[in-house]
Amino acid sequence: MTPGPPRITTVAQDALACRADALVLPVTEGGRLLPEPARAVDTALAGGMTTAIRRSAFRGKLSERLLLHPMGRLAVEQLLLVGLGKASEITPDRVRLVTAEALRHLRAIRARTVAIAVHDAIWGPLGSETVAQAISEGALLGLYRFDLYRGKQNRDRSPEIESLALHCPDRGAARAMRHGIVVGGVLAKATNLARDLINEPANILTPAELAARAKRVARRYGLSARVLDRGAMRRLGMRALLGVAQGSANPPQLIILRHRGTDDPGKPALVLVGKGVTFDAGGISIKASEGMETMKGDMGGAAAVIGAMAGIAALRVPLHVAAVIPAVENMPSGTAQRPGDIVRAMDGTTIEVINTDAEGRLILADAFCYAGRLGAKRLVDVATLTGGVVVALGSIRTGFFSNDRALAERVLAAGEAAGEKLWELPLDDEYEELLKSDCADLKNTGGGKKAPAIGAARFLKHFVGDTSWVHLDIQGTSLQEQEHGYQPKGATGVMTRTLIHLALNLAQNASGGTRNRSW
Ligand code: BES
Ligand code: ZN
Ligand code: ZN
């Protein structure tokens, strides 16, 4: 979560006065009269802007752009008009999207210093702080690049945007924006930290390296960290997790992070669990080779949880939050577990392993048992768990399951605040049929093509006990094949921001709603 470029500031001055390589001017659709500051800009350009708009197809529709050259009439080299869509339909997510697209465009044409007009009149119902937060999030999320392993000659060579100044003539509004910029910055950098972890190849990011990075994050943000090795896990009886790990030369790790945001020495109000399979070859039930390289991302849940813990600590959220991350590699080898093996989870449940590629639920089973020991009131897990969720929801919505209405509503609200779409799927008892084994308490797969995402969630449910629980299946949303808005191609870091919003929401509630800051 390094404070990467650009540096984002507010300037209590009219956008007309700005000096920068480029000025971004957001415009809503269908307004016949240009509101300020567009009108003033147009006057400075001797009507050049209205003429250019008239001659172009630009109407202010969402994502439309029009690049103008002020030719010395403004103190900027480029003027970029960006469409926000209809004023009545502006949401924080649209602001994130438009900002990301505008800044990527400007970076591609080598702008280094950018200003954006944020006058109140532009944003319809959104307040200044909300707008600033969305701009800050959109900018940092949209400009993310991962080119650690590219030689200079192979890099996207456009230089970074160094600064982004939010111009607003109203001093009070400019002051309110500062808080939004900080919060948006934390949310985006936490997500970019998750993206970095996911984009790392599996030869570098082994379970031990994931643990080392989690520890580094912990040191930096003041979290406490503990890592259990194979011996410690053996003593705890985590045979479901160890069975998955036994085929790999890279030993498993159980990573535990804690953020004690209050003086209360009690149990965590929330435990986050993230699936950390650093590479999923499928084990003996080996996967087809096509697309197998994407299985380096099978720790997307772990990444989201580590990112969220960093964000929660950075924002000093007044809540006790713990994270449990089972980290393993799922490989075929002479020591690998076989289909038909029976393993015993930490709570004594026996599991017949039908398919070694359904390994996520096996490691999560033991992680849930461990989380239960921490005595958490609420458990939220994030996992790249099933292909079934991709069939159901594609790469747009994350699959969502819960055993508790109140927690479900909170997580749905957190997803809404983050602009991360969720869709609830059922957990009816009748689906239990999918998990009945002839020789053990449970089997790890069954039912073939019948409701595989639900089968996996029902399996997990066995290990949550009475805890309020939400399961987030991110197999479809963790990686994107194409860049869209503020999501670059590759790792999205999805659910990092939702988890941070959830912690903020729970903390606000725990304090009796007295902290009514909007996030
Ligand atoms: N990490 C995968 C999820 C996945 C599914 C990745 C499909 C790529 C394509 C998970 O561990 C897995 O392999 N799930 C299997 C389970 C099946 C063997 C019961 C799935 O969903 O296909
Ligand atoms: Zn698998
Ligand atoms: Zn997997």
Side-chain angles (χ1 to χ4, degrees), residues 275 280 287 295 298 355 357-359 361 384-388 445 475:
K275 172 178 172 184
D280 182 11
K287 287 184 181 292
M295 284 302 107
D298 207 18
N355 189 318
D357 196 11
E359 83 299 339
R361 64 201 76 178
T384 45
L385 205 64
T386 68
T445 66
Q475 180 57 38

Side-chain angles (χ1 to χ4, degrees), residues 37-173:
R39 194 204 304 252
V41 170
D42 191 41
T43 309
L45 296 178
M49 192 169 90
T50 28
T51 308
I53 292 177
R54 211 176 316 118
R55 289 188 186 155
S56 77
F58 182 87
R59 293 293 170 267
K61 290 205 171 93
L62 185 67
S63 286
E64 275 182 357
R65 291 192 294 275
L66 182 63
L67 187 67
L68 304 175
H69 303 275
M71 301 294 199
R73 289 176 185 264
L74 294 175
V76 292
E77 302 278 321
Q78 322 268 3
L79 174 64
L80 182 64
L81 306 188
V82 295
L84 286 172
K86 295 207 173 72
S88 58
E89 293 172 9
I90 297 178
T91 60
D93 211 48
R94 287 194 166 188
V95 177
R96 287 182 201 112
L97 178 134
V98 163
T99 308
E101 289 175 342
L103 290 181
R104 267 207 306 272
H105 183 147
L106 291 174
R107 180 175 65 187
I109 59 170
R110 303 182 150 266
R112 298 266 195 136
T113 56
V114 177
I116 180 165
V118 287
H119 297 54
D120 271 354
I122 301 173
W123 308 101
L126 303 186
S128 313
E129 187 175 335
T130 308
V131 169
Q133 184 179 321
I135 290 177
S136 156
E137 253 180 277
L140 296 168
L141 289 171
L143 291 171
Y144 174 84
R145 289 192 279 210
F146 184 78
D147 43 20
L148 205 57
Y149 299 102
R150 285 183 174 179
K152 276 213 175 89
Q153 68 285 5
N154 293 323
R155 277 190 199 169
D156 166 359
R157 260 179 284 167
S158 52
E160 297 295 348
I161 290 177
E162 290 156 11
S163 63
L164 174 64
L166 277 56
H167 276 258
C168 170
D170 181 319
R171 279 191 176 280

Side-chain angles (χ1 to χ4, degrees), residues 24-48:
V24 178
L25 188 56
V27 178
T28 48
E29 183 186 347
R32 274 199 306 133
L33 285 176
L34 284 176
E36 294 299 350
R39 194 204 304 252
V41 170
D42 191 41
T43 309
L45 296 178

Side-chain angles (χ1 to χ4, degrees), residues 128-461:
S128 313
E129 187 175 335
T130 308
V131 169
Q133 184 179 321
I135 290 177
S136 156
E137 253 180 277
L140 296 168
L141 289 171
L143 291 171
Y144 174 84
R145 289 192 279 210
F146 184 78
D147 43 20
L148 205 57
Y149 299 102
R150 285 183 174 179
K152 276 213 175 89
Q153 68 285 5
N154 293 323
R155 277 190 199 169
D156 166 359
R157 260 179 284 167
S158 52
E160 297 295 348
I161 290 177
E162 290 156 11
S163 63
L164 174 64
L166 277 56
H167 276 258
C168 170
D170 181 319
R171 279 191 176 280
R175 208 170 312 118
M177 281 187 213
R178 281 198 205 120
H179 184 255
I181 289 174
V182 171
V183 176
V186 169
L187 289 162
K189 285 173 195 163
T191 306
N192 289 344
L193 164 64
R195 290 170 172 179
D196 276 345
L197 291 171
I198 298 167
N199 284 326
E200 283 286 0
N203 58 328
I204 304 290
L205 199 92
T206 58
E209 179 62 18
L210 184 61
R213 296 208 186 183
K215 279 186 175 168
R216 210 179 301 157
V217 168
R219 266 197 304 280
R220 176 143 184 203
Y221 293 96
L223 298 161
S224 67
R226 225 182 129 198
V227 177
L228 304 188
D229 64 8
R230 203 194 306 257
M233 287 189 262
R234 239 184 235 139
R235 287 190 289 281
L236 287 168
M238 297 184 151
R239 298 285 171 175
L241 186 158
L242 292 170
V244 175
Q246 79 190 32
S248 170
N250 293 307
Q253 316 276 324
L254 188 76
I255 306 163
I256 302 120
L257 302 174
R258 265 186 205 258
H259 164 74
R260 290 186 191 273
T262 59
D263 298 335
D264 180 2
K267 294 170 178 167
L270 175 66
V271 177
L272 306 176
V273 178
K275 172 178 172 184
V277 177
T278 59
F279 189 75
D280 182 11
I284 294 297
S285 314
I286 194 165
K287 287 184 181 292
S289 35
E290 199 187 328
M292 209 205 269
E293 70 283 357
T294 62
M295 284 302 107
K296 69 174 186 176
D298 207 18
M299 31 58 71
V305 167
I306 294 171
M309 290 301 283
I312 288 166
L315 292 175
R316 299 181 196 283
V317 179
L319 195 76
H320 183 174
V321 186
V324 179
I325 297 154
V328 303
E329 191 178 46
N330 189 25
M331 299 290 268
S333 79
T335 62
Q337 97 179 325
R338 296 143 287 245
D341 284 3
I342 297 176
V343 293
R344 190 181 291 276
M346 183 173 160
D347 68 350
T349 306
T350 56
I351 305 161
E352 182 187 8
V353 179
I354 300 292
N355 189 318
T356 64
D357 196 11
E359 83 299 339
R361 64 201 76 178
L362 296 172
I363 66 168
L364 290 172
D366 277 333
F368 282 19
C369 294
Y370 191 89
R373 251 198 213 187
L374 299 178
K377 288 197 197 106
R378 305 175 187 88
L379 191 166
V380 177
D381 79 86
V382 188
T384 45
L385 205 64
T386 68
V389 83
V390 190
V391 175
L393 302 173
S395 55
I396 309 296
R397 285 185 185 259
T398 291
F400 172 102
F401 301 82
S402 182
N403 66 355
D404 180 277
R405 218 46 247 156
L407 183 63
E409 295 301 335
R410 277 179 195 273
V411 178
L412 289 168
E416 178 74 31
E420 296 185 318
K421 292 178 196 270
L422 302 167
W423 193 257
E424 190 160 5
L425 295 167
L427 270 175
D428 303 276
D429 290 342
E430 288 89 331
Y431 289 106
E432 194 61 24
E433 203 56 42
L434 301 171
L435 307 175
K436 289 221 166 100
S437 163
D438 293 336
C439 49
D441 299 331
L442 290 173
K443 59 182 177 186
N444 78 332
T445 66
K449 290 186 176 162
K450 277 193 185 165
I454 303 172
R458 282 291 312 188
F459 181 95
L460 295 179
K461 189 171 180 290

